[in-house]
Every structure is written in structure tokens, then in C-alpha cells.
């Protein structure tokens, strides 16, 4: 029997809510992530796919402990077997876990980008940084520029370089490729692949799901703040018959190269979620049963939250 590999990051039953003020004194808790599961093993790229607003960036913030003060988190979050307490998260942010933030506003406006990309490492990893800049199409003089002198695409490549230069054991890359040419995106993902092949791990949050399928080991599909399916990336490369959840199949079919078939309807808003299965109102397979919340089931080496998946 295949031995189960150790996990680096283990998250289950994660929920994130925000305290919102409706009026002067009225306040409510808006749950934007619920029952979310994700595991990451050493040497793995786990891609996180899902439409805008499905909770991908909040997951990154919850792992790193950088949610806004009006957010509250519940659930099981363990990193290398230890609970992710605020104190542990603060330590891990100092180098062990690196974030490629979704917004380029994270760059320090007052620091030249070469120094910024080197981080706190001494001696400065100048050679390694120049090699990574070169591979991502950043001319050498970029190192002397300030963030305001960069285009959006260059700024994103600097942020990606910063994570690649670091010695982080886990990189969380939140939409790293927008603004890059296809060649640059392939190069960036290729470097994440090299990192993973050295035994480090990457959570790759992305809209470019066809690229993610090519480079990742596993894919987690998010919908309305929860994980609906986690499957080997090979299943996403194989096509809808290998997938388990109707939403994953629909995502696949919505890709331009697979027929561009749009999914009817909208992802529900956190304050107005349907009862039971969150995808049911848009699902071609829905039945009466879907009024109840489906449990997570293991099917063909993947996990799925659907009564009808086979
Ligand atoms: N600070 C906040 N206060 C209230 N709601 C928020 C806040 N940040 C994010 N949300 C909501 O949480 C949901 C998930 O957001 P996010 O994780 O940023 O989505 P994405 O998958 O696009 O990265 C969205 O509906 C968003 O409106
Ligand atoms: Mg996001």
C-alpha cells in the first residue's frame, strides 16, 4: 500500500467571518468562508481555482494571520504538526512562509526593488536574484528602480522574484501571473515547479487554471467560500469525465479551448447563501437531496462535496 506522505499544512473546517455594521448599533457576522479544507504536502504545488469572491485571498490571509481586525477565524489550521497561533504565524511570516500578494501595492514605495527582492538575507543573494530577474524578463537595471517606476506587470514579476529568491518552505502565490506574457508566466510557474521539486511547497491561487493544471500536482476548487473538490491535477488535464463535482466540470468546459460554455447563474453572495449545497441553484444534477449540506466524500483519489458525484 502506498504510504501516506506527511503533510506540511493541514486545514479543515475553516471558517472566516467579518463583523459588519448595518446601522449605528446594529452589527452582524458575515461568514465568507465555511467548512473549507486544504492540505499541502512537501514538494507539492496545490493550485486553488475558483471565481472571484470565492475566498482564495482570504485563505492566504488566514494562513499568514494577516486578516483585518474585524475578522474572526475558526477551524483546524496546522503547519508542520503545530497549531497556527498568532504567535506562530508571526514567526513564520519572517521567512518560512512567503506570500506573493495579489496587489502590487504591497511593494515598499521607498525601497529600490533589488534590495526589496533580496529580503533580509545576508549576504545579499545578488547573483540568484539577477538570474531570476533575467528569467522573468526584467532587465538588470530594474534592480535600481523604485516601485513607481515599474509597470504593473513588472511589479508583479518583482513580487514573484521575491518569493523565488527567499528560502521559504511554503510559498503562497496569490494570482501571480496577470500582466505577464505567456512566456513569462510559463517561466514563473516553471520556477515554482523547480522549487517544489526541491521539496518545498507552493499554493498557487490562480485564474489561469489551464496553466495551473499543467504545473500543479493537485487542484482545489473553491466555490462561495468552501472547497467543493480536491483532485489530482492529472484529472483536470484529462477532462470532465475524470472530475467529480459539477462545478469543476463546468469550470473545465468554460475554458476557451474546451468550448467556452458559460455557467448559467451567479455565485451566491455570502450574506445570501442557499440552504444545503451552495452550487445547487446552478447545478444540472440537483435533486431534493441537495437541500441538505453534502458531506465531503473520497472518490477515486480525490475529495468532493456532492451527493451525486461518482
Ligand atoms: N475585509 C472584508 N470585509 C468583508 N468582506 C470581505 C472582506 N474581505 C473580503 N471579503 C469578502 O469575502 C469574500 C472572499 O473574498 P476573497 O478571498 O478576496 O475572494 P477571491 O477568491 O476573489 O480572492 C468576498 O465575497 C469578499 O467580498
Ligand atoms: Mg483574491
Amino acid at each position: 500500500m502506498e504510504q501516506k506522505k506527511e503533510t506540511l499544512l493541514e486545514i479543515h473546517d475553516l471558517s472566516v467571518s467579518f463583523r459588519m455594521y448595518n446601522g449605528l448599533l446594529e452589527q452582524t457576522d458575515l461568514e465568507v468562508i465555511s467548512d473549507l479544507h486544504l492540505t499541502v504536502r512537501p514538494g507539492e504545488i496545490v493550485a486553488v481555482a475558483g471565481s472571484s469572491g470565492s475566498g482564495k485571498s482570504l485563505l492566504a490571509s488566514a494562513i499568514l494571520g494577516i486578516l483585518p481586525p474585524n475578522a474572526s477565524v475558526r477551524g483546524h489550521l496546522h503547519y508542520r504538526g503545530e497549531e497556527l497561533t498568532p504567535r506562530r504565524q508571526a514567526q513564520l511570516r519572517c521567512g518560512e512562509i512567503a506570500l506573493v500578494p495579489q496587489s502590487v501595492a504591497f511593494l515598499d514605495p521607498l525601497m529600490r526593488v533589488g534590495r526589496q527582492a533580496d529580503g533580509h538575507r545576508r549576504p545579499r543573494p545578488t547573483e540568484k536574484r539577477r538570474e531570476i530577474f533575467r528569467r522573468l524578463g526584467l532587465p538588470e537595471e530594474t534592480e535600481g528602480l523604485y516601485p513607481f517606476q515599474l509597470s504593473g506587470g513588472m511589479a508583479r514579476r518583482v513580487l514573484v522574484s521575491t518569493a523565488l529568491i527567499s528560502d521559504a518552505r511554503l510559498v503562497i502565490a496569490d494570482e501571480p501571473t496577470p500582466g505577464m506574457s505567456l512566456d513569462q508566466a510559463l517561466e514563473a510557474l516553471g520556477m515554482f515547479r523547480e522549487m517544489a521539486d526541491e521539496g518545498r511547497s507552493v499554493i498557487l491561487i490562480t485564474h489561469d487554471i489551464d496553466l495551473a493544471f499543467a504545473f500543479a500536482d493537485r487542484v482545489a476548487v473553491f466555490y462561495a467560500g468552501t472547497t467543493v473538490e480536491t483532485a489530482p491535477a492529472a484529472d483536470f488535464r484529462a477532462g470532465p469525465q475524470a472530475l467529480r463535482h459539477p462545478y469543476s466540470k463546468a469550470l473545465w468546459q468554460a475554458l476557451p479551448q474546451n468550448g467556452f460554455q458559460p455557467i448559467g447563474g451567479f455565485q451566491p453572495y455570502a450574506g445570501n447563501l442557499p440552504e444545503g449545497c451552495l452550487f445547487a441553484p446552478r447545478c444540472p444534477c440537483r435533486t431534493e437531496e441537495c437541500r441538505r449540506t453534502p458531506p465531503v466524500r473520497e472518490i477515486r483519489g480525490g475529495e468532493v462535496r456532492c451527493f451525486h458525484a461518482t
Side-chain angles (χ1 to χ4, degrees), residues 29-50:
D29 282 324
L30 183 68
E31 192 170 82
V32 291
I33 286 187
S34 57
D35 302 324
L36 190 136
H37 299 252
L38 188 79
T39 54
V40 182
R41 302 181 190 114
E44 230 185 11
I45 299 183
V46 179
V48 173

Side-chain angles (χ1 to χ4, degrees), residues 3-307:
Q3 211 178 351
K4 225 178 179 173
K5 271 169 107 181
E6 64 181 296
T7 57
L8 180 72
L9 179 74
E10 181 154 354
I11 296 176
H12 50 85
D13 300 311
L14 174 71
S15 68
V16 176
S17 335
F18 286 99
R19 178 135 295 190
M20 309 288 264
Y21 293 87
N22 302 334
L24 207 51
L25 292 169
E26 224 180 296
Q27 58 180 37
T28 50
D29 282 324
L30 183 68
E31 192 170 82
V32 291
I33 286 187
S34 57
D35 302 324
L36 190 136
H37 299 252
L38 188 79
T39 54
V40 182
R41 302 181 190 114
E44 230 185 11
I45 299 183
V46 179
V48 173
S51 55
S52 182
S54 58
K56 305 180 299 296
S57 294
L58 287 179
L59 168 71
S61 301
I63 295 168
L64 288 158
I66 54 170
L67 285 164
N70 67 325
S72 59
V73 177
R74 279 183 294 114
H76 173 104
L77 285 99
H78 280 228
Y79 179 79
R80 298 178 74 192
E82 269 182 59
E83 193 186 340
L84 275 177
T85 59
R87 195 188 142 98
R88 184 84 185 108
Q89 286 167 321
Q91 291 166 344
L92 294 170
R93 287 199 300 270
C94 291
E96 172 124 2
I97 305 183
L99 173 69
V100 179
Q102 185 170 9
S103 165
V104 296
F106 269 71
L107 285 167
D108 180 343
L110 301 177
M111 200 191 284
R112 292 184 199 274
V113 298
R115 268 191 66 191
Q116 221 165 134
D118 291 347
H120 298 292
R121 291 178 60 198
R122 294 293 176 270
R124 285 176 60 181
T126 310
E127 283 315 309
K128 184 175 178 186
R129 186 230 309 138
R130 285 189 180 152
E131 163 72 6
I132 291 171
F133 272 23
R134 191 189 55 71
R135 287 180 68 179
L136 290 180
L138 291 166
E140 195 166 314
E141 50 275 22
T142 309
E143 64 186 31
L145 300 179
Y146 287 96
F148 79 90
Q149 295 170 303
L150 307 178
S151 69
M154 287 171 87
R156 195 167 300 283
R157 281 176 275 153
V158 169
L159 287 170
V160 169
S161 305
T162 307
L164 289 165
I165 292 163
S166 76
D167 293 324
R169 196 188 289 261
L170 172 65
V171 169
I172 306 175
D174 193 354
E175 310 270 3
T177 50
M180 291 189 194
S181 68
L182 179 61
D183 284 348
Q184 290 161 357
L186 289 170
E187 193 70 41
L189 296 181
M191 284 193 270
F192 283 134
R193 187 66 256 169
E194 290 166 23
M195 262 189 69
D197 292 343
E198 287 167 14
R200 296 149 81 198
S201 307
V202 181
I203 298 176
L204 175 65
I205 297 172
T206 185
H207 265 107
D208 287 334
I209 48 178
D210 46 345
L211 285 188
F213 300 163
F215 285 88
D217 299 289
R218 287 188 304 130
V219 179
V221 179
F222 284 15
Y223 185 76
T226 199
T227 325
V228 292
E229 174 164 357
T230 309
D235 292 355
F236 282 84
R237 294 191 289 268
Q241 72 289 348
L243 298 172
R244 297 152 192 79
H245 199 281
Y247 179 61
S248 313
K249 292 176 198 259
L251 264 186
W252 191 94
Q253 277 155 344
L255 289 172
Q257 66 273 35
N258 301 332
F260 232 145
Q261 297 165 49
I263 315 172
F266 298 95
Q267 176 176 254
Y269 167 65
N272 191 19
L273 295 180
E275 194 129 329
C277 171
L278 301 179
F279 187 62
R282 302 170 76 182
C283 185
C285 314
R286 82 174 166 271
T287 58
E288 274 300 305
E289 209 173 6
C290 308
R291 289 174 189 268
R292 292 187 292 114
T293 302
V296 177
R297 296 191 293 143
E298 278 201 40
I299 297 180
R300 295 182 280 111
E303 285 184 352
V304 61
R305 191 185 283 280
C306 171
F307 289 112

